[in-house]
Amino acid sequence: MATSTDLSEGSARLVLLNGVVLLHPEDAVFDAMLEGWTRRQHGGRRLQPKTISGCVRVVRRFNAFAQEYPWRWSAGAMDEWTSGRRT
């Protein structure tokens, strides 16, 4: 069982500075999540940087489309986004 002090390789806590008050906390957490995910993809899955950056671009495009942070994303927004890409 993991404790609150356990940090996996992809944890956003490894990117965010402890005790720092964030001006835009949601933006900082989102960026930290992507950085942690990037580290995990590189270290754990050994994906190439080009593959990882492509995946991050897709997540950022969806984030811009949904105009929400990942913790507020909905299945409906994903349906809209993917159906708009079928041509």
Side-chain angles (χ1 to χ4, degrees):
M1 183 168 132
T3 66
S4 62
T5 59
D6 290 337
L7 297 177
S8 69
E9 180 182 8
S11 176
R13 289 184 184 186
L14 293 173
V15 178
L16 296 171
L17 297 174
N18 195 21
V20 174
V21 177
L22 302 171
L23 184 58
H24 300 285
E26 291 180 322
D27 290 335
V29 169
F30 179 59
D31 289 341
M33 288 171 66
L34 286 178
E35 177 61 28
W37 184 55
T38 296
R39 290 178 183 184
R40 183 76 178 148
Q41 298 301 307
H42 179 69
R45 297 188 62 199
R46 302 203 187 284
L47 296 177
Q48 295 297 313
K50 184 177 179 179
T51 301
I52 297 167
S53 64
C55 293
V56 169
R57 278 193 305 275
V58 170
V59 172
R60 287 195 180 277
R61 282 198 315 260
F62 179 72
N63 184 63
F65 171 84
Q67 297 181 348
E68 293 286 353
Y69 293 99
W71 48 94
R72 293 190 193 124
W73 288 349
S74 68
M78 179 57 77
D79 286 345
E80 277 184 54
W81 191 64
T82 55
S83 67
R85 270 130 185 79
R86 289 186 218 150
T87 55

